[in-house]
Amino acid sequence: MLSVARRPLSAAVPVGNLLGIHLFQCPDTVGIVARLSECIASRGGNIHSVDVFVPDDKPVFYSRSEFTYNPMLWPRDVLRTDFLNLSQHFSAQRSTVRVPDLDPKYKISVLASKQDHCLFDLLYRWQEGRLPVDINCVISNHDRLKDNHVRRFLERHGIPYHYLPTSPGNKREQEILELVQGTDFVVLARYMQILSEGFLKAYGKDIINIHHGLLPSFKGGNPSRQQAFNAGVKLIGATSHFVTPELDAGPIIEQMVERVSHRDTLQSFVVKSENLEKQCLAEAIKSYCELRVLPYELKKTVVF
Amino acid sequence: MLSVARRPLSAAVPVGNLLGIHLFQCPDTVGIVARLSECIASRGGNIHSVDVFVPDDKPVFYSRSEFTYNPMLWPRDVLRTDFLNLSQHFSAQRSTVRVPDLDPKYKISVLASKQDHCLFDLLYRWQEGRLPVDINCVISNHDRLKDNHVRRFLERHGIPYHYLPTSPGNKREQEILELVQGTDFVVLARYMQILSEGFLKAYGKDIINIHHGLLPSFKGGNPSRQQAFNAGVKLIGATSHFVTPELDAGPIIEQMVERVSHRDTLQSFVVKSENLEKQCLAEAIKSYCELRVLPYELKKTVVF
Amino acid sequence: MLSVARRPLSAAVPVGNLLGIHLFQCPDTVGIVARLSECIASRGGNIHSVDVFVPDDKPVFYSRSEFTYNPMLWPRDVLRTDFLNLSQHFSAQRSTVRVPDLDPKYKISVLASKQDHCLFDLLYRWQEGRLPVDINCVISNHDRLKDNHVRRFLERHGIPYHYLPTSPGNKREQEILELVQGTDFVVLARYMQILSEGFLKAYGKDIINIHHGLLPSFKGGNPSRQQAFNAGVKLIGATSHFVTPELDAGPIIEQMVERVSHRDTLQSFVVKSENLEKQCLAEAIKSYCELRVLPYELKKTVVF
Amino acid sequence: MLSVARRPLSAAVPVGNLLGIHLFQCPDTVGIVARLSECIASRGGNIHSVDVFVPDDKPVFYSRSEFTYNPMLWPRDVLRTDFLNLSQHFSAQRSTVRVPDLDPKYKISVLASKQDHCLFDLLYRWQEGRLPVDINCVISNHDRLKDNHVRRFLERHGIPYHYLPTSPGNKREQEILELVQGTDFVVLARYMQILSEGFLKAYGKDIINIHHGLLPSFKGGNPSRQQAFNAGVKLIGATSHFVTPELDAGPIIEQMVERVSHRDTLQSFVVKSENLEKQCLAEAIKSYCELRVLPYELKKTVVF
């Protein structure tokens, strides 16, 4: 499988110090990094890395920084204010700062349908401590979870489960909207319903989806694996992306591929594809939580 | 890059012996491998590997075998006759046997257009002894080669070069057909003309093409990289395939992918893509020459 | 990580048929594959693949075959007798035939010490159905398992757990020997005791160990990661191998590596190393169960 | 093969601007990045990336920055002075700034012995424009180059070639020293002589060597592949490192590995190993020229 190796979060945090991450987007101008590092240095903090991206053709500045600092010298609310001031100074479109060991984890809801491989994989990684999120609830429009290992898992960990069967006339979006209130973002772990533009607007925060194919090809639902199988492809893939009103056309966060051969059956295609989907979705969520991901232009992302 | 690692040709050929390769397709029945190995054993030969493929849903038998034998005990023409008899016995649709150290190399013609990266890469690999073919000529419909490093390379190695500019009304197919007479197969190294069904029938042998995208997506000409770039993909790919009358729809032989990120420009997309195309085409030709590739059903290949 | 991609077991087994695997080692002579395939064909079976290895410098024949057959036409005990006859005919040193869907799974015991990452990983894979073995018991010389997640797992699945603390004067080998009676092989999942030559002889079957370094370098116990860390290596590795009387010198089955950099701490070295050990051990066990592994000469293996 | 994917040099340099790279090592203190970015910003430059490394256990600050700037506003000698001032301000142990499109390429000498695979590979990459160095001469202690393709290549490109046969009593170090005067660093492309401590001191600059094994294992000369082959390893490797007086013990820059199996012969071990050596050496040189490499402690490197 071809996966990406992002640099891990700064390993060497001095004892008594904390790691901070700052993600930033503003109109490009001279001296942004200087001002940012000055701000951190003035509080006794140390920058470990700064990643900057300015597109060829647009004066937009994107950056991600990691720094360590002494929380006794730089209380969390002062830190917040300092970065807010920076943000205002540069008229930032986006500015997020997180101190993973101090701040509450991102809170998410997970929506799934009949296939629960991505859902169960997320739960397992979460249990292992490898997905830094709190799961406020799981919502499904299929009752398959009624009495299986996912359901038992949820009960054991006290994660609420909501069965909201949909019909062409009732997508249950109002109920979903209420359930996902208070989350930081929503994950569609093979949720086979299209969320309306109204829902997206009302929720207003990011929604991450996993698609079983290499977008922008193979858009849409189930046929894609059959199509790929019939086309005799030698590679299959998966794509995690942000949800936008246009189906399967939101900015791509992560893509992964795996080899297939003439020996693969439609069934082994599915097994390999599901394995890709699980990893691709988990990677996207992890990158998002580590403040690596920014939408960029209409259909792109910066992934630091 | 995600590439495939095919097993190398049998390393351990006893001194004085030769390696033979046999590729076979016939209606499935019991005892084909037994008969085949008996034939080889009866001449004192040793089987090194047999790879068999029988699709789930069709009684067709595909196999590829490697064996070593003593050429003093099994003269080349007797060997040929033995395998011909096998072929007739099983009503084989295809049966090819090659002794790479004894048989003439496959003879090919290469067609190219304005972009010569694949062409030059093929020539370089050929010079290094890594592509076991003889190149009977290079044909181009662009005069870009008139006086560049490719042309000098061809002259230095005595490979004829033919400049056949095409027009909408004249594809020069009759001339091409004459030039490729006597070749074992033809390679399209970014030849930007569509060969007519008439040409394909008249030539009658295999034609291998390289496409700058992951078929079956991104069919057609140049727009694909721009499309992929605009779509913000995180992976780009290349596909080598057999040419059939339907554009970019022939059986896929090999596919490769490479990571791209927000830092890539359209230009670096092109560089990465060209690098993939070179490797993907070379791998397909190499696999073909080692008798690893068989068309399978309408749009698929077996690649042993 | 650089891991190997072995071909999966034959995907396409016709309905009503079974897959058989045959592993074979005998003095090299002409016609072994022929005789083997004839035997299978004569019972209506179909060979899917045959892999043969004959070293350059020794007339020894190693092979592994996969075939499908109709169990109504070829009862298991007749099949056993047929391959036994073959084995006798060729004076085979080793001959094993398995029908995974019919035969009992391999029975193993797992020995561990204080570190339980490999042990827990094995158990997890086993629960997921990805390690085709039955675990007859887990033995540890550390009481760390007394009340942790591994212990609860074992209880939930009814796998006996034996705590056998060792001392320099008492390796508890006699007790271990009794506990592992009836197993097909033994797995040392980071068992930090050296098993005596007497034990190895008395047990008489294969024992697979995992070592936290790229043998033959970094032999011995814990210092290796510290050594590697101090040496500023850019790659770390793990090795699974057969146990022989000489410490860490048995035939290597599988090796894996992972990148490290100046950013890695001794602790992150350990995390990466443990991850390698888990995968490397699981891969070795899986290969062994699929009859892919044969010792070869004194210190080598054939891994088909 | 497991190779590393370093981020390419900043792709998006605005028209009329230039890319600068700055590598820095000084005692750790607060505000270094702030001061550095302020310096760049004050001249109208833009930082693209800053990579910082401070070891856990030592207050040493290492950084590498990429920035773009307008050469009309920041003349090269002013830029030099600015960074020199920074260097003095922080009592830097090392401070290098390069503007690849403006500064002369690094000048190197290459030393080789009988085996010329690494030498020829370097030359080929150099000709292709993929190694940003000027080669002032090639020195060999074997006359194998007297009349082969390497020699013809050197003549065609006007690179002086010096044949300096060594004997146990005469290592020709004085002559070598004269020939390498004026170079920025020296490359040992399989030079099978040990350079004396005196030579290293007299030259005083970095020397990069390629070793055919995964150091710190398999030190020393030719036996290593035979040892690895005999040990039945499943992975072989290569190491590029800085030369220090202790044989094969200098700080490691890059390591690469490749799979081998029972099918590999000693000869195919050598082929795979040579292929690794070529890539590993080229990668080390490229990283060095892009100011990514810093020695760190006695035996380590930071490779940004």
Side-chain angles (χ1 to χ4, degrees), chain C residues 76-119:
Chain C
R76 187 62 180 89
D77 55 343
V78 180
L79 187 151
R80 185 174 294 110
T81 310
D82 284 352
F83 280 98
L84 193 61
N85 290 341
L86 263 177
S87 171
Q88 287 166 348
H89 180 83
F90 288 109
S91 311
Q93 288 101 337
R94 282 167 185 256
S95 173
T96 314
V97 63
R98 278 181 67 77
V99 182
D101 286 344
L102 210 60
D103 296 348
K105 285 176 186 166
Y106 275 135
K107 190 182 291 180
I108 68 169
S109 297
V110 186
L111 277 70
S113 290
K114 201 172 164 193
Q115 295 166 298
D116 60 7
H117 58 282
C118 281
L119 171 58

Side-chain angles (χ1 to χ4, degrees), chain B residues 253-270:
Chain B
I253 302 171
E254 179 66 83
Q255 296 190 300
M256 292 182 182
V257 285
E258 182 67 282
R259 290 220 155 249
V260 287
S261 82
H262 59 279
R263 294 191 186 276
D264 280 284
T265 57
L266 183 54
Q267 192 194 353
S268 71
F269 256 59
V270 170

Side-chain angles (χ1 to χ4, degrees), chain C residues 141-158:
Chain C
N141 64 332
H142 267 264
D143 61 351
R144 195 190 161 203
L145 300 187
K146 201 168 56 182
D147 186 32
N148 72 357
H149 62 303
V150 173
R151 187 65 181 277
R152 286 193 298 277
F153 185 103
L154 294 175
E155 277 164 8
R156 201 158 62 237
H157 291 91

Side-chain angles (χ1 to χ4, degrees), chain B residues 12-242:
Chain B
V13 179
V15 175
N17 278 20
L18 291 174
L19 172 72
I21 313 172
H22 180 238
L23 190 65
F24 200 62
Q25 176 188 344
C26 69
D28 192 27
T29 181
V30 161
I32 306 174
V33 174
R35 192 66 181 260
L36 170 67
S37 16
E38 196 187 285
C39 161
I40 292 168
S42 73
R43 300 297 187 173
N46 276 305
I47 283 194
H48 283 229
S49 69
V50 183
D51 246 331
V52 172
F53 175 62
V54 179
D56 267 354
D57 51 355
K58 290 221 183 72
V60 188
F61 175 95
Y62 302 84
S63 78
R64 179 181 182 276
S65 316
E66 289 187 17
F67 56 95
T68 55
Y69 72 98
N70 183 338
M72 311 292 280
L73 304 180
W74 202 7
R76 186 64 180 91
D77 55 343
V78 180
L79 188 151
R80 185 174 294 109
T81 309
D82 285 351
F83 280 99
L84 194 60
N85 290 342
L86 263 177
S87 171
Q88 286 166 348
H89 179 84
F90 289 109
S91 310
Q93 287 102 338
R94 282 166 186 255
S95 173
T96 315
V97 64
R98 279 181 65 78
V99 183
D101 286 343
L102 209 61
D103 296 348
K105 284 177 186 166
Y106 276 135
K107 190 181 292 179
I108 68 169
S109 296
V110 185
L111 278 70
S113 289
K114 201 170 163 194
Q115 295 165 300
D116 60 8
H117 58 281
C118 281
L119 171 59
F120 189 64
D121 181 75
L122 282 190
L123 293 171
Y124 180 70
R125 287 173 199 257
W126 169 82
Q127 178 198 21
E128 292 270 288
R130 287 183 287 143
L131 269 194
V133 294
D134 282 332
I135 302 171
N136 100 323
C137 71
V138 168
I139 301 167
S140 174
N141 65 332
H142 267 263
D143 61 352
R144 195 191 161 202
L145 301 187
K146 201 167 55 180
D147 187 32
N148 73 357
H149 61 304
V150 173
R151 187 63 182 277
R152 285 193 297 277
F153 184 102
L154 295 175
E155 277 164 9
R156 201 158 62 237
H157 291 91
I159 299 173
Y161 166 71
H162 305 280
Y163 169 44
L164 296 181
T166 51
S167 64
N170 186 0
K171 300 288 201 145
R172 314 294 290 263
E173 293 198 338
Q174 191 51 43
E175 289 151 275
I176 297 173
L177 199 56
E178 277 158 30
L179 290 168
V180 304
Q181 283 311 313
T183 55
D184 294 291
F185 64 100
V186 160
V187 173
L188 307 187
R190 306 286 293 142
Y191 186 64
M192 303 309 284
Q193 295 292 320
I194 297 167
L195 295 169
S196 71
E197 191 160 356
F199 179 90
L200 301 185
K201 271 198 184 137
Y203 178 57
K205 281 172 273 187
D206 289 324
I207 301 178
I208 295 177
N209 185 42
I210 179 70
H211 183 84
H212 61 313
L214 282 182
L215 293 176
S217 323
F218 295 122
K219 290 186 186 181
N222 258 313
S224 87
R225 283 172 198 144
Q226 183 73 57
Q227 281 171 34
F229 183 71
N230 292 345
V233 298
K234 301 296 185 190
L235 291 172
I236 53 166
T239 303
S240 55
H241 64 97
F242 287 117

